[in-house]
């Protein structure tokens, strides 16, 4: 029985097959919705009291007062001093690179002045306060702390509040150390929909934020969707995806391991290879067979490859480009001779990893760009998490006395054309004297 | 009986009063949701056939084939040639100014190369295809066509598809002329949830788009929210708002008319004045009383002012700034002596209109900046519609052979710290030979 499906772009019905392979609709569960709405209502009406109750019930530990829910910054410092030196170095190296890359994303204010003295522009300001959700327990990833916290800090957000559930009171030292290296301002040991509600509406101890970012389980995702509008949220992510485009000249073991690196995330993750060289594809298949039994997370990888993976033989590299643009993957590896040229033909991808040495995991941790990327083909209309997600713009308009007449006449014609006469008269007042 | 509520920041309970004045929660109606979901399902499963049925039923006209639903570009040209010269001039003047302003918003690709040859950057690309919803009938605003279409065109979107319902087969000439001046690529005479569904999923005659923008009624808004994820959407707007901050030295009639110009939009629109000069506030109240009976849309204005308007007396201009940042209005007029200085202290506003000559309606039509702005205090975390909403970014990563080792070692430590060994091994392959 095959470990991964084989496809060929010349197959009858390839397009339909591919569409089916990519199909992903997140199921919204009525019961989850009801639970989450109850939790939000309770936090809004009873604040800290409800937050304490939920935390004690769901996370199985006994906080006595709301004050106990805050993790002091000294505890982050302690984690930083406790972890091994190589982890401290790795966190610092990664944080520095991510910071430098994201500095380039900063959007600046601008203005210009016209001949008659009218001034136009855009004023860019950071968000006041941001909440960062960090999952607890096994899925606690320090790299997620870096990737969500640093763009906010680079944007100039004045206060960054992290929430992280501590099941059974257990803290993840590497996560706390990552929070310390990013300069997170306050940390609360709360999680789930109750943490999201507390961040959105505020309680006596948790201050309300303007935007909530960071990954979480279905309760967290549902709560984020529910509070959207009250606060901003980042995207709600689907399963992780990688598409490797290869010309057949990379070590097949490397390609197999790259496919595994997505597949090990979870059973729904998607790993696809597109290559014009059928013989190379067979070699990658052999590498998969050889290497899979050596993997710590073998069962997850096997399920993901079997359920949602594919090795696709295509006609040529031009067609590989077309397939890549159709798939619009979160991660795209161009393991080819001239990756820069090929990248210029890619219209839709979250991150493009160019060349045989650029393994996707480098981007997950420390290359510099963000690892929070649009999934499920949403890169067709959205972008990696960035500094721009923590900045906002206000239009600036200063019309001179002369401009008020020139612009006022045009505004008046259009306003009257739309039947909005208060608009017209407000403009006309400024030049009819 | 008073036409508009008077408040004073020194009142007991002012903060709570203000919070209540600003409160706005859009009610999501189960019946509307069900209707919209049915319509979407039907369009997805039966395509053009369903689109024709809904159009004939809801818009009361008889299209016989799906081909009849498309409005040919020649019809736009005809509208352009039919409207009066002053409207043609006004549309051209407005379009040119909006285009010039938005050109400044274009985000460009960038890269940088490190000492070891590793190259990082961000590739910016336009969306492939965008759908623009334009309401039909009375609320058909040509200015909305300009404000939604031009940023997409400036971004380089290759195909811009407009949909506009034509109740009883009636077309709005000014809307068609505006579409022509923007260079809209195709126009379909469809509307409602069925138009949104057709744009999101495509039918035989309507091509699927990547993002849908533009205002609409509750069915359109609900449908947009439902298809979000399949396609991108712009914000779902609440009622329009203006906050005028005045030092008491502007003509009170001007201020009254500026308040009217928001209020005439609809009964839920919000118009607020903040001013430290109680005597001036009384003059504005008198102007409201004097001018209201002269307004074409008097009943709408009166309802909006009474229900959601306010004249607020504050202690001084510093406090006026604080109140403005708390209110975080869609439109903010700074009708003061030194508006530039004051604007630099504003953290939250969709558009800032500076100086006594800058009436808000100039921004609605022709100053240059977009009139699609975040409402209901969402400017705390979001921005005016802009070119950046029609562009997206892909991270670029090209790691050199040497970089693969430097970065690989850090990635390996962090990946192993997270228990993701396929990630670690994928990185390690590139330097352990």
């Amino acid at each position: 029985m095959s470990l991964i499906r084989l496809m060929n772009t010349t197959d009858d019905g390839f397009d339909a097959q591919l569409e089916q392979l990519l199909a992903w609709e997140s199921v919204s569960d009525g019961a989850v919705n009801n639970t989450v709405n109850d939790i939000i209502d309770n936090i809004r009406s009873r604040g800290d009291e409800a937050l304490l109750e939920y935390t004690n019930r769901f996370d199985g530990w006994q906080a006595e007062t709301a004050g106990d829910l805050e993790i002091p910054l000294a505890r982050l410092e302690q984690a930083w001093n406790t972890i091994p030196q190589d982890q401290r170095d790795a966190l610092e190296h990664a944080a520095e690179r991510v910071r430098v890359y994201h500095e380039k994303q900063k959007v600046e204010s601008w203005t210009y002045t016209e001949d008659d003295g009218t001034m136009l522009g855009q004023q860019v300001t950071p968000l006041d306060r941001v909440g960062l959700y960090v999952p607890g327990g096994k899925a606690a990833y320090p790299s997620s702390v870096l990737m969500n916290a640093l763009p906010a800090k680079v944007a100039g957000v004045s206060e960054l509040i992290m929430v992280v559930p501590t099941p059974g009171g257990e803290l993840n030292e590497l996560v706390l150390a990552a929070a310390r290296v990013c300069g997170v301002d306050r940390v609360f040991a709360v999680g789930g929909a109750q943490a999201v509600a507390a961040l959105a509406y505020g309680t006596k101890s948790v201050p309300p934020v303007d935007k909530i970012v960071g990954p979480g389980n279905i309760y967290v995702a549902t709560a984020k969707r529910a509070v959207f509008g009250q606060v901003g949220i980042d995207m709600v992510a689907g399963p992780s995806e990688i598409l490797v485009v290869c010309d057949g000249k990379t070590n097949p073991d490397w390609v197999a391991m790259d496919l595994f690196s997505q597949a090990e995330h979870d059973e729904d993750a998607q790993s696809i290879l597109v290559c014009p060289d059928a013989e190379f594809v067979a070699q990658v298949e052999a590498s998969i067979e050889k290497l899979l039994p050596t993997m710590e997370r073998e069962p997850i990888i096997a399920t993901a490859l079997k359920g949602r993976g594919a090795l696709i033989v295509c006609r040529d590299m031009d067609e590989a480009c077309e397939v890549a643009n159709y798939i619009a993957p979160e991660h795209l590896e161009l393991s080819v001779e001239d990756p820069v040229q090929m990248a210029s033909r890619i219209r839709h991808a979250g991150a493009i990893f160019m060349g045989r040495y650029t393994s996707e995991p480098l981007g997950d941790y420390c290359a510099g760009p963000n690892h929070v990327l649009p999934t499920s083909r949403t890169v067709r209309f959205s972008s990696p998490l960035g500094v721009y997600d923590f900045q906002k713009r206000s239009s600036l308009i200063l019309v001179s006395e002369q401009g008020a007449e020139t612009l006022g006449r045009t505004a008046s014609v259009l306003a009257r054309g739309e039947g909005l006469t208060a608009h017209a008269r407000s403009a006309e007042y400024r030049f009819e004297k």
Side-chain angles (χ1 to χ4, degrees), chain A:
Chain A
M1 213 168 89
S2 136
L3 294 169
I4 185 167
R5 92 175 41 68
L6 290 173
M7 295 166 67
N8 195 310
T9 56
T10 59
D11 291 345
D12 276 352
F14 170 77
D15 290 354
Q17 260 185 75
L18 181 60
E19 198 184 327
Q20 206 184 342
L21 179 70
L22 301 177
W24 181 265
E25 296 210 36
S26 60
V27 186
S28 89
D29 180 320
V32 172
N33 270 322
N34 291 341
T35 305
V36 165
N37 288 338
D38 277 354
I39 292 174
I40 294 173
D41 288 347
N42 254 308
I43 296 283
R44 283 184 76 171
S45 57
R46 299 195 298 117
D48 277 341
E49 194 191 343
L51 187 59
L52 262 175
E53 281 172 21
Y54 285 123
T55 302
N56 289 341
R57 189 191 323 163
F58 294 132
D59 295 342
W61 64 295
Q62 295 304 320
E64 283 175 18
T65 69
D68 295 344
L69 297 176
E70 184 157 7
I71 301 175
L73 292 186
R75 180 68 188 79
L76 275 54
E77 202 58 38
Q78 183 194 324
W80 180 253
N81 292 321
T82 310
I83 59 170
Q85 184 67 39
D86 67 336
Q87 289 190 344
R88 229 167 8 236
D89 292 345
L91 281 177
E92 257 178 353
H93 185 212
E96 178 57 18
R97 292 189 60 87
V98 171
R99 196 176 285 121
V100 167
Y101 177 87
H102 283 79
E103 285 284 351
K104 317 253 178 200
Q105 289 180 334
K106 260 182 114 158
V107 179
E108 304 289 343
S109 301
W110 49 268
T111 60
Y112 62 98
T113 303
E114 302 180 319
D115 291 343
D116 69 10
T118 293
M119 192 264 275
L120 300 170
Q122 202 158 56
Q123 176 161 296
V124 181
T125 45
L127 273 63
D128 281 351
R129 197 187 279 135
V130 165
L132 164 55
Y133 191 94
V134 177
K138 276 181 298 180
Y141 292 148
S143 58
S144 282
V145 176
L146 303 188
M147 294 295 181
N148 284 280
L150 289 171
K153 279 288 171 180
V154 170
V157 169
S158 349
E159 205 178 355
L160 183 57
I161 314 277
M162 180 170 122
V163 294
V164 56
T166 55
E170 198 189 334
L171 290 163
N172 180 317
E173 299 300 312
L174 211 46
V175 162
L176 295 182
R180 185 270 192 192
V181 93
C182 297
V184 166
D185 296 286
R186 295 179 73 181
V187 183
F188 292 89
V190 294
Q194 61 275 18
V196 173
L199 288 171
Y201 293 98
T203 67
K204 204 174 161 202
S205 54
V206 180
V209 302
D210 299 301
K211 184 166 190 165
I212 301 174
V213 297
N217 65 17
I218 182 71
Y219 290 93
V220 172
T222 305
K224 276 166 69 180
R225 220 181 267 123
V227 300
F228 176 60
Q230 170 68 22
V231 296
I233 60 168
D234 58 353
M235 53 201 113
V236 174
S240 197
E241 313 145 2
I242 193 170
L243 172 65
V244 180
V245 172
C246 186
D247 56 11
K249 291 173 193 148
T250 306
N251 185 328
D253 284 356
W254 295 14
V255 172
M257 195 59 76
D258 295 352
L259 297 174
F260 290 176
S261 75
Q262 279 317 293
E264 77 173 338
H265 275 294
D266 70 272
E267 287 84 352
D268 293 320
Q270 184 153 60
S271 299
I272 302 178
L273 167 68
V274 177
C275 174
D277 180 343
E279 202 178 308
F280 178 78
V281 169
Q283 288 170 24
V284 172
E285 198 184 9
S287 292
I288 290 175
E289 204 173 332
K290 174 185 75 182
L291 293 168
L292 188 55
T294 74
M295 302 309 300
E296 281 83 351
R297 295 166 75 95
E298 182 190 353
I300 296 174
I301 297 173
T303 306
L305 291 185
K306 198 169 175 53
R308 304 199 68 222
L311 306 177
I312 303 176
V313 178
C314 61
R315 289 177 179 87
D316 52 32
M317 293 308 280
D318 283 341
E319 193 181 52
C321 259
E322 273 171 49
V323 171
N325 278 321
Y326 178 76
I327 292 179
E330 181 190 14
H331 304 98
L332 175 63
E333 253 185 46
L334 302 179
S335 203
V336 302
E337 207 54 46
D338 187 353
V340 173
Q341 192 276 333
M342 184 172 249
S344 70
R345 297 163 62 195
I346 296 299
R347 297 197 314 283
H348 310 300
I352 306 177
F353 298 81
M354 296 183 282
R356 309 190 204 282
Y357 282 93
T358 312
S359 66
E360 187 279 333
L362 300 186
D364 287 339
Y365 294 107
C366 59
N370 212 287
H371 79 193
V372 182
L373 300 167
T375 59
S376 310
R377 307 189 69 224
T378 59
V379 294
R380 293 177 295 118
F381 52 82
S382 47
S383 299
L385 187 72
V387 174
Y388 35 79
D389 290 307
F390 300 99
Q391 296 182 299
K392 62 215 164 52
R393 302 158 168 102
S394 302
S395 306
L396 294 176
I397 313 178
L398 190 161
V399 177
S400 67
E401 194 171 339
Q402 193 191 321
E405 171 148 10
T406 328
L407 298 180
R409 291 195 186 278
T410 291
S412 164
V413 170
L414 293 174
R416 291 186 182 278
E418 292 181 353
L420 295 176
T421 46
H423 283 68
R425 289 172 66 181
S426 161
E428 289 157 9
Y429 268 152
R430 268 76 175 187
F431 63 89
E432 285 174 352
K433 284 157 217 158

